[in-house]
Amino acid sequence: MIKRIIDTSSLAAFKSILASVNRIVVTCHKKADGDAIGSSLAMGRLLSNMGKNAVVIIPDQLPASLEFIASGNEFFTFTMCETKASNILRNTQLILSLDYNSFDRVDRMQPLLEASNAKKVLIDHHRDPKNCFDVMFSHPLMSSTCELVYRLAAEAGWLQWFDKAIASCLFVGIMTDTGNLSFSSSYPDVYEVMAKLMEYGIDKPYLYKQAMDTVSLNSLKLQSYAILNKMTIIDDSIALITLDQDDLKQFNYRTGDTERLVNKPLSVDGVFWSTFMREDSKYIKVSMRSEGEFAVNSICAKFFNGGGHKNAAAGEFYGSMQEAVELFHKIVEQIKNDITI
Ligand code: 5GP
Ligand code: MN
């Protein structure tokens, strides 16, 4: 039996909001990953199956590697149809926030969400949600927002509206947020949720292949180059990979091409902290992964305007790559000298 985790008064409040609205918008964070898009599409489809008018609006373009989840599911990309999406957002009665905990994670949709008088409901697994929601389902111990959506739906009695497409979206989000059940998944219930999702007849080998084991040739070459030529390992334990605009151009970089690169140095025995810096157009994107008790979300929050989970976090650095690398080395020195971060 999967344990009950949903607060009953929050669920009652959510149900009463749902009963009083028809127009609903489901949103997720910018640069959507498998969990963000999977949970949003699943929630949108669930609400549609329940007879609600639910629209999924994602902040910006999906990476090509995640387009397979989208096929057959309807959604709007804010940056590609800003006028229409803005109108929908202005007229909605309820906004659902999936897989993010603060409106500064939705890019150009932020002012519209902040100004909206619609009810706002959070469904998320990031720590410390901002106090801007009418109802919150905030569960930092969950593997993924997708797992949380399944458990919320099960406890709410909504599984009767589940179908294979919803189960497939949720399965993908759990796979991608746990590295196919290699991290953030050390408790039995997540496996029970996976088993329940399998009962909808999902094509697991296809979903695994698409979500976890398919890259473009350019991406494979870029990641190989990054590891061979652009990776530094400090003290056999701390890895840094940097890719600047010239590197990205050389391999015809497209959004998503560096997905999971930051995880790779952790497979070297002894490496417990990996950082990847990529020079985007407006800032240096900084991603960090760690093993064990070493928390990278606090480092990203303190130095890189970001945050995330203990072992997977990210942020942004406004300055040159050289300055970002210098700051990184200063942080490493502080940690080596045991100054508390
Ligand atoms: P990634 O390195 O895959 O882009 O992000 C890792 C994790 O860090 C994400 O799952 C998300 O929880 C968090 N994250 C990514 N970018 C940001 C950011 O700009 N701000 C905050 N607060 N968290 C982020
Ligand atoms: Mn997530």
Side-chain angles (χ1 to χ4, degrees):
M1 263 291 274
I2 301 173
K3 276 190 294 295
R4 296 181 80 85
I5 52 160
I6 302 298
D7 176 63
T8 46
S9 57
S10 303
L11 182 54
F14 185 27
K15 283 186 169 179
S16 121
I17 293 173
L18 278 178
S20 67
V21 303
N22 186 33
R23 294 186 308 280
I24 304 169
V25 173
V26 182
T27 62
C28 65
H29 60 76
K30 64 181 174 178
K31 303 246 160 91
D33 55 12
D35 190 34
I37 188 70
S39 58
S40 304
L41 292 175
M43 199 67 210
R45 197 175 167 99
L46 172 63
L47 291 165
S48 300
N49 290 354
M50 290 164 74
K52 296 288 176 188
N53 176 353
V55 178
V56 177
I57 304 181
I58 68 169
D60 49 11
Q61 198 181 7
L62 269 190
S65 58
L66 288 174
E67 275 164 10
F68 77 97
I69 317 181
S71 79
N73 291 305
E74 280 178 27
F75 68 96
F76 290 98
T77 305
F78 189 78
T79 47
M80 289 163 81
C81 46
E82 196 158 341
T83 309
K84 181 155 194 198
S86 301
N87 280 335
I88 296 171
L89 271 170
R90 279 195 200 96
N91 289 312
T92 192
Q93 298 164 298
L94 169 60
I95 295 169
L96 300 185
S97 297
L98 281 104
D99 203 36
Y100 69 94
N101 59 4
S102 148
F103 291 140
D104 60 10
R105 298 278 289 127
V106 294
D107 206 33
R108 275 153 55 188
M109 282 158 53
Q110 180 174 359
L112 282 162
L113 297 200
E114 283 173 347
S116 172
N117 291 323
K119 294 281 181 199
K120 291 163 190 160
V121 174
L122 170 107
I123 304 173
D124 178 47
H125 71 141
H126 293 89
R127 222 164 267 287
D128 306 325
K130 289 273 154 55
N131 191 16
C132 52
F133 301 95
D134 297 285
V135 178
M136 289 203 279
F137 300 98
S138 171
H139 290 260
L141 297 180
M142 287 287 100
S143 66
S144 51
T145 301
C146 281
E147 181 188 349
L148 177 57
V149 167
Y150 176 85
R151 294 172 77 148
L152 175 64
E155 292 189 37
W158 297 334
L159 292 183
Q160 56 184 305
W161 287 291
F162 258 48
D163 57 26
K164 181 177 167 183
I166 293 175
S168 300
C169 287
L170 296 180
F171 200 90
V172 164
I174 301 175
M175 270 200 294
T176 54
D177 251 29
T178 62
N180 200 31
L181 298 169
S182 58
F183 46 80
S184 312
S185 48
S186 298
Y187 53 96
D189 285 350
V190 63
Y191 298 87
E192 280 202 50
V193 172
M194 295 296 253
K196 295 280 184 206
L197 294 173
M198 295 285 296
E199 288 174 13
Y200 292 89
I202 62 171
D203 186 348
K204 177 180 174 290
Y206 167 79
L207 296 176
Y208 172 78
K209 180 75 193 156
Q210 292 297 315
M212 305 301 298
D213 196 25
T214 299
V215 291
S216 68
L217 183 58
N218 277 335
S219 162
L220 183 65
K221 288 184 177 175
L222 173 62
Q223 296 210 12
S224 306
Y225 161 82
I227 288 170
L228 191 61
N229 295 318
K230 305 296 302 269
M231 179 173 73
T232 315
I233 307 259
I234 303 164
D235 294 344
D236 298 327
S237 55
I238 299 165
L240 173 65
I241 298 174
T242 60
L243 288 175
D244 57 30
Q245 282 287 332
D246 288 342
D247 299 321
L248 299 175
K249 277 196 198 102
Q250 196 184 329
F251 293 93
N252 251 327
Y253 171 79
R254 278 196 57 181
T255 304
D257 280 355
T258 53
E259 199 61 40
R260 292 192 291 279
L261 173 61
V262 65
N263 293 83
K264 298 206 164 132
L266 292 180
S267 56
V268 177
D269 201 18
V271 174
F272 69 92
W273 175 20
S274 170
T275 299
F276 167 48
M277 295 180 175
R278 186 186 62 226
E279 188 180 13
D280 285 354
S281 54
K282 296 197 196 104
Y283 49 76
I284 310 281
K285 168 76 198 285
V286 181
S287 280
M288 293 192 185
R289 300 291 185 270
S290 66
E291 279 180 350
E293 287 312 303
F294 186 74
V296 285
N297 48 0
S298 47
I299 300 175
C300 285
K302 183 164 178 187
F303 297 101
F304 297 108
N305 309 296
H309 308 283
K310 184 171 77 175
N311 297 128
E316 290 151 8
F317 177 81
Y318 291 84
S320 69
M321 180 64 92
Q322 195 190 335
E323 288 163 345
V325 170
E326 279 166 13
L327 173 59
F328 176 77
H329 286 293
K330 276 192 197 141
I331 298 168
V332 170
E333 282 313 308
Q334 280 190 33
I335 287 168
K336 285 207 288 193
N337 294 332
D338 218 2
I339 294 170
T340 318
I341 291 269

